[in-house]
């Protein structure tokens, strides 16, 4: 008989570098698909890992290989501890994204570390991982991958917007799902918060205290990425190459930079959402806790920006990676060509047995 229920761990390490999101979730496949989050936690990175992971984009191949082994071992032990501490039994698999260190889909290259077979050995569990590489090899962007989960698990919303290291959005257009990255969010905001000795700008309070730098606002909104048509995705390489140099001449006043950058994010998002009070947008990712950003969004767009429970805000991406793993285990497609631009819909992910 076809298996209808899956008990999985979903694991996500995002580009904001805050930590490893882990959830235990259950999925039921009947006429539709339903989910239940049983448990979620974020294991924050210590300074050692923050430093390593943020410098990885500049490493050569040999250093990256070494880092990949080291990080897989670390991740495996974190997950094993989570499983032991919570007494988890009967998991079908761990579905893990790993951590993106490089993303150059135009060169058919994307690298997520932490996706080696040792993960299955250390945890003693079946692992489904490395979801992006096959898509990039098929000519796709390899991102955003959450779109199929948005479509099948959150169809009551007109748009799903995630405010993580980067903002991405997904919606139905002409009876097909489309999704793409909009702009950088917490990768940039955190970079300037760090200069003030802070992890991040809590509630966007520092940004709110600043004022707009009109010249910078104009330059940010003129970047070429914004006129490109989807499918499109962003990586930290783009932030380092295009955004930080543009801002550097203004950075003696960080509150003003943060203020301006948040207005820029709000404007770019408002450009992608239909401007109607009928429209419902699910907002997730840590940026949903940035009150100043949410207020600015509300000023620029009349759409309803819906903030769900803190659990869903924090763990929606991990939940959907668990879902992508479930689809892979079922032999069903988990990546849509309409989203990434790959040559076909396909079932992505690598399976390792313990
Ligand atoms: N209370 C808060 N106020 C302002 N910003 C916050 C708050 N809480 C979290 N954040 C921001 O959210 C970030 C974490 O967001 P999230 O976990 O969604 O990112 P991520 O998983 O790395 O993203 P992605 O995978 O989408 O790139 C933090 O680094 C911080 O910038
Ligand atoms: C290459 C990569 O890791 N991209 C991430 C990143 O973080 C946010 C945004 O850029 C998104 O496109 C993607 O992650 C989400 C989870 C996704 O694939 O849907």
């Amino acid at each position: 008989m076809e298996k209808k229920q899956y008990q999985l761990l979903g694991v996500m390490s995002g580009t904001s570098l805050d930590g490893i999101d882990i959830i235990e979730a259950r999925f039921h496949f009947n006429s539709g698909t339903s989910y239940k989050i049983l448990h979620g936690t974020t294991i924050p990175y210590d300074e050692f890992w923050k430093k390593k992971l943020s410098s990885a984009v500049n490493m050569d191949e040999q250093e990256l290989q070494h880092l990949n082994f080291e990080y897989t071992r670390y991740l495996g032990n974190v997950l094993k501890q989570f499983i032991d501490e919570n007494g988890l039994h009967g998991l079908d698999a761990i579905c893990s994204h790993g951590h993106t260190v490089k993303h150059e889909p135009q060169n058919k290259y994307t690298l997520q570390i932490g996706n080696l077979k040792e993960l299955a050995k250390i945890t003693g569990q079946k692992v489904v991982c490395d979801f992006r590489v096959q898509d990039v090899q098929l000519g796709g962007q390899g991102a955003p991958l959450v779109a199929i989960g948005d479509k099948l698990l959150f169809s009551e919303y007109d748009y799903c917007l995630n405010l993580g290291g980067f903002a991405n959005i997904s919606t139905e257009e002409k009876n097909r799902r489309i999704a793409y990255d909009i702009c950088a969010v917490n990768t940039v905001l955190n970079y300037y918060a760090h200069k003030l000795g802070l992890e991040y700008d809590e509630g966007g309070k520092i940004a709110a205290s600043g004022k707009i730098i009109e010249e910078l606002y104009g330059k940010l909104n003129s970047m070429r990425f914004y006129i490109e048509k989807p499918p499109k995705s962003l990586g930290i390489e783009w932030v380092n190459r295009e955004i930080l140099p543009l801002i550097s001449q203004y950075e003696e006043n960080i509150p003003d930079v943060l203020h301006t950058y948040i207005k820029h994010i709000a404007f770019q998002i408002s450009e992608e959402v239909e401007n109607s009070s009928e429209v419902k947008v699910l907002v997730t990712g840590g940026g949903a806790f940035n009150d100043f950003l949410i207020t600015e969004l509300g000023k620029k767009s009349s759409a309803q920006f819906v903030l769900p429970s803190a659990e869903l805000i924090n763990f929606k991406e991990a939940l959907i990676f668990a879902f992508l793993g479930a689809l892979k285990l079922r032999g069903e497609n988990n990546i849509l060509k309409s989203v990434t631009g790959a040559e076909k819909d396909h079932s992505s992910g690598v399976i390792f047995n313990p």
Side-chain angles (χ1 to χ4, degrees):
M1 212 177 67
E2 199 199 0
K3 190 168 161 62
K4 293 237 159 72
Q5 185 173 304
Y6 292 79
Q7 189 107 349
L8 300 164
L9 287 195
V11 186
M12 176 74 201
S13 170
T15 46
S16 304
L17 274 177
D18 54 330
I20 303 169
D21 297 332
I22 311 174
I23 56 131
E24 184 198 1
R26 193 180 294 142
F27 295 91
H28 284 278
F29 289 81
N30 284 313
S31 46
T33 314
S34 61
Y35 72 88
K36 188 169 171 44
I37 298 179
L38 303 169
H39 199 115
T41 193
T42 300
I43 310 292
Y45 284 123
D46 59 17
E47 281 313 309
F48 172 84
W49 279 109
K50 272 191 191 160
K51 236 178 159 167
K52 278 255 169 176
L53 295 176
S54 60
S55 60
V57 68
N58 299 316
M59 288 181 185
D60 64 28
E61 210 164 305
Q62 213 180 348
E63 289 173 305
L64 279 177
Q65 240 179 38
H66 180 74
L67 180 69
N68 200 354
F69 276 110
E70 206 181 353
Y71 182 73
T72 303
R73 267 202 304 270
Y74 165 70
L75 182 61
N77 287 317
V78 165
L79 295 175
K80 181 153 179 15
Q81 195 174 345
F82 180 84
I83 291 168
D84 292 347
E85 278 178 5
N86 293 291
L88 303 187
H89 300 290
L91 283 178
D92 289 294
I94 295 175
C95 310
S96 183
H97 169 266
H99 186 84
T100 296
V101 296
K102 296 200 180 190
H103 186 61
E104 300 165 18
Q106 69 283 9
N107 301 324
K108 292 210 166 187
Y109 181 65
T110 186
L111 175 65
Q112 285 70 48
I113 57 170
N115 289 330
L116 303 176
K117 64 177 187 302
E118 280 69 21
L119 202 56
K121 294 226 167 69
I122 296 168
T123 57
Q125 302 287 333
K126 184 189 284 262
V127 166
V128 192
C129 63
D130 224 1
F131 292 93
R132 299 192 194 274
V133 169
Q134 178 173 298
D135 189 70
V136 166
Q137 279 164 358
L138 288 169
Q141 288 291 314
L145 299 190
V146 293
I148 195 160
D150 293 346
K151 180 184 170 75
L152 298 177
L153 304 177
F154 299 100
S155 59
E156 66 270 36
Y157 295 96
D158 300 294
Y159 296 85
C160 291
L161 171 69
N162 195 75
L163 302 172
F166 297 88
N168 62 43
I169 195 158
S170 95
T171 190
E172 289 292 309
E173 189 191 81
K174 297 184 193 133
N175 284 326
R176 53 178 210 147
R177 178 70 33 173
I178 59 162
Y180 48 94
D181 288 345
I182 299 178
C183 60
V185 179
N186 293 315
T187 41
V188 173
L189 298 177
N190 289 356
Y191 178 85
Y192 291 102
H194 292 168
K195 288 190 182 283
L196 299 175
L198 299 167
E199 191 75 17
Y200 57 84
D201 177 14
E202 169 70 46
K205 288 197 187 80
I206 298 169
S209 75
K211 56 187 187 319
I212 192 158
I213 309 166
E214 292 290 354
E215 186 184 60
L216 174 61
Y217 184 71
K219 284 184 188 172
L220 287 166
N221 286 326
S222 307
M223 284 190 296
R224 211 191 54 189
F225 182 80
Y226 300 133
I227 54 169
E228 286 172 15
K229 297 259 172 290
K232 56 180 181 174
S233 65
L234 290 167
I236 197 68
E237 297 90 334
W238 181 76
V239 170
N240 293 340
R241 193 179 62 236
E242 307 266 337
I243 299 204
L244 302 183
L246 200 67
I247 298 180
S248 66
Q249 70 180 102
Y250 305 96
E251 73 185 44
E252 71 279 3
N253 191 326
I254 289 178
D256 288 358
V257 164
L258 290 171
H259 185 97
T260 306
Y261 197 80
I262 282 194
K263 292 220 159 175
H264 161 68
I265 299 168
F267 174 70
Q268 288 304 328
I269 292 171
S270 72
E271 291 279 284
E272 306 305 325
V273 174
E274 192 192 328
N275 195 9
S276 153
S277 59
E278 303 285 294
V279 158
K280 275 167 73 180
V281 186
L282 176 68
V283 187
T284 55
F289 299 118
N290 188 318
D291 303 327
F292 182 58
L293 172 55
I294 300 300
T295 304
E296 286 301 308
L297 257 178
K299 284 189 197 163
K300 293 232 158 53
S301 167
S302 45
Q304 302 168 43
F305 292 95
V306 180
L307 300 179
S309 65
E311 185 177 65
L312 196 58
I313 288 178
N314 286 322
F315 298 114
K316 175 171 166 274
E317 287 185 339
L319 173 76
I320 295 185
F321 273 90
F323 183 59
L324 296 185
L327 293 173
K328 174 71 188 176
L329 292 171
R330 291 168 64 78
E332 292 176 20
N333 288 337
N334 55 14
I335 301 190
L336 302 171
K337 67 177 179 183
S338 60
V339 167
T340 66
E343 60 194 50
K344 56 181 184 189
D345 293 346
H346 58 110
S347 188
S348 188
V350 174
I351 300 177
F352 294 119
N353 288 304

